[in-house]
Amino acid sequence: MPAQYNCRKCPGYCCSYPVIALDKRDVERLAKHHGMTFDEAKRAFTREAHGHKIIMRRKADLYYGRICRFFDTVQRCCTIYTARPAVCRAFPGDGRCGYYDFLTFERRAQDDPTWIAVTNNED
Ligand code: SF4
Ligand code: SF4
């Protein structure tokens, strides 16, 4: 089934998830992309949370409070698309995205194609 969502028309809600988990291969990919060692990339781009899980560092965002450090908050897109972690490649899979369904429903209902569902998720 073709995807029923269009990330280009979305302000990037999924990139604001508090936990973007990375494994060793994800950190290796980030390191290679930035010409860094594994340890340098791990220190610069990730932090540990929830016990020993490695997660992406975040930064401030107007709409969602906090968002992935690699998100362009003006263009509303990923700045490391070819080097993004596996979890970002897999999400939301084939079919539908719940946030996009909500966004498009509200944009139609409010007759406002620019409407954005804001949240405020802090660390
Ligand atoms: S929330 Fe859904 S539509 Fe928006 S960027 Fe993520 S996957 Fe794409
Ligand atoms: S790496 Fe890219 S796709 Fe993944 S959360 Fe960060 S900005 Fe979004």
Side-chain angles (χ1 to χ4, degrees):
M1 185 170 75
Q4 304 290 302
Y5 54 89
N6 184 347
C7 298
R8 289 198 175 88
K9 292 183 178 173
C10 172
Y13 175 70
C14 58
C15 299
S16 76
Y17 285 179
V19 175
I20 306 285
L22 296 95
D23 63 17
K24 189 166 173 278
R25 288 189 61 193
D26 292 325
V27 180
E28 283 169 356
R29 202 182 300 110
L30 286 177
K32 189 174 171 196
H33 184 79
H34 291 92
M36 293 173 157
T37 66
F38 181 93
D39 286 340
E40 285 170 343
K42 187 176 174 195
R43 221 173 11 254
F45 306 138
T46 76
R47 66 186 179 89
E48 290 194 5
H50 307 278
H52 45 262
K53 198 176 261 186
I54 301 173
I55 64 171
M56 199 73 99
R57 287 188 185 276
R58 304 205 298 161
K59 63 182 179 182
D61 182 58
L62 180 65
Y63 299 131
Y64 303 126
R66 306 281 294 165
I67 203 160
C68 174
R69 70 173 312 291
F70 288 116
F71 193 79
D72 183 328
T73 54
V74 176
Q75 299 297 321
R76 309 305 302 180
C77 60
C78 179
T79 59
I80 54 154
Y81 195 73
T82 57
R84 69 198 189 288
V87 69
C88 305
R89 293 162 195 267
F91 189 86
D94 296 332
R96 311 197 79 95
C97 166
Y99 180 85
Y100 192 76
D101 284 348
F102 175 58
L103 189 74
T104 49
F105 177 90
E106 287 295 335
R107 283 178 175 177
R108 268 196 313 272
Q110 299 190 37
D111 196 20
D112 179 358
T114 63
W115 184 85
I116 292 177
V118 298
T119 61
N120 193 4
N121 61 78
E122 299 296 334
D123 283 325

